[in-house]
Amino acid sequence: MWEESLRLAIEAQPTHVSVYDLQIEQGTKFGRLYSLGEFPMPSETQSAEFYKMASRMLSDANYNHYEISSYCKSGYECKHNFIYWKNKPFYGFGLCSASFVGGLRFSRPRKVNDYINFVQNLENGFVNSSVEGHIHGKDTVMDVVMLSLRTAQGIDLMSLQESFGSSIVLSLLEAYKTYFESGHVVCLDEYRRTVRIDDLNSFLNNTNAEGRVAYIRLSDPEGFLLSNELIAIAFGVIDSWKDMPPYQEAEAT
């Protein structure tokens, strides 16, 4: 059934395809049927095979697997989502909208009457943006790492270094050495060519600038399938830091 669904989707020739695991929500009809065993979910092994099948079939049909759950024809990447994935500043307008500007996250009221009052206050020169506070440096770098590892581009190490210092880059490379060797995490140079393990080791030992690593990304599909574990490793590295450089605001988009 899954293979047939993919085949029909490909035959429809959409420019963009999103492939997500189904999440069971309590209180829904499907949730009740699932609880009774009428509609069992695939096992983890089956889900992994479905994911690999989607990656293979969509790639063979010339779809770019540009994000862990997203595929597209060339030039049809979701530009809107890339703002979030790259942790860039953005403005939100309207009921329940959220913004991220100057390292500050804030949102508009969720209820209609509260939002009407907010707009009236705004028109009268009073700003009440439901400020949630500045984002701690660790939270910012965790967002950058998590969202970047979900994309085919991966983590831009030069950008990460400019924002948070070189030690975070070296720490991540050290933490992922085993996964570089297993092929779950891939190192790329500035031209997005794969960096050999020997060159990586030379870079970590500061003896060979030619092996400089510009990006790290998760392999497709094996690395993406381990994304939760691999992102958790990065979180452990970041959380162990005692001193975190202050947030450097990116240029507004």
Side-chain angles (χ1 to χ4, degrees), residues 28-217:
T28 63
K29 183 176 181 179
F30 193 96
R32 291 190 293 273
L33 293 172
Y34 171 73
S35 298
L36 295 174
E38 294 184 34
F39 288 91
M41 295 290 289
S43 66
E44 288 189 11
T45 300
Q46 288 175 317
S47 293
E49 290 304 316
F50 290 165
Y51 187 87
K52 292 178 183 178
M53 183 185 296
S55 177
R56 182 181 68 254
M57 290 180 64
L58 289 166
S59 296
D60 288 346
N62 296 317
Y63 285 90
N64 300 322
H65 194 180
Y66 73 99
E67 191 267 344
I68 195 168
S69 300
S70 304
Y71 301 78
C72 72
K73 294 291 187 178
S74 181
Y76 285 93
E77 294 85 357
C78 182
K79 295 180 176 62
H80 177 87
N81 284 348
F82 262 117
I83 297 297
Y84 306 135
W85 296 336
K86 293 184 177 181
N87 210 44
K88 299 293 186 181
F90 59 88
Y91 291 95
F93 301 94
L95 183 69
C96 200
S97 63
S99 301
F100 176 45
V101 182
L104 185 71
R105 295 195 190 278
F106 55 93
S107 60
R108 307 304 188 202
R110 295 176 178 271
K111 297 181 179 180
V112 174
N113 288 336
D114 291 340
Y115 183 72
I116 291 173
N117 291 332
F118 166 80
V119 172
Q120 291 174 344
N121 289 333
L122 189 64
E123 291 176 344
N124 292 328
F126 302 102
V127 178
N128 178 14
S129 50
S130 301
V131 174
E132 296 167 9
H134 283 275
I135 307 302
H136 190 274
K138 285 186 178 181
D139 294 330
T140 302
V141 72
M142 283 181 177
D143 283 347
V144 170
V145 168
M146 175 188 69
L147 296 171
S148 296
L149 285 178
R150 289 178 58 87
T151 69
Q153 179 177 346
I155 302 174
D156 183 336
L157 297 180
M158 293 303 294
S159 176
L160 193 70
Q161 178 175 312
E162 289 173 4
S163 297
F164 302 102
S166 60
S167 59
I168 180 63
V169 172
L170 292 173
S171 295
L172 286 174
L173 291 175
E174 288 284 359
Y176 283 138
K177 282 185 69 173
T178 301
Y179 296 94
F180 295 139
E181 294 169 357
S182 67
H184 290 92
V185 184
V186 181
C187 294
L188 305 171
D189 66 14
E190 60 182 313
Y191 302 106
R192 300 197 65 81
R193 299 174 302 197
T194 301
V195 176
R196 299 182 307 170
I197 295 299
D198 289 344
D199 291 335
L200 173 62
N201 290 332
S202 296
F203 171 65
L204 292 176
N205 293 328
N206 295 315
T207 60
N208 182 10
E210 293 180 359
R212 190 170 186 82
V213 182
Y215 303 91
I216 56 174
R217 61 153 296 177

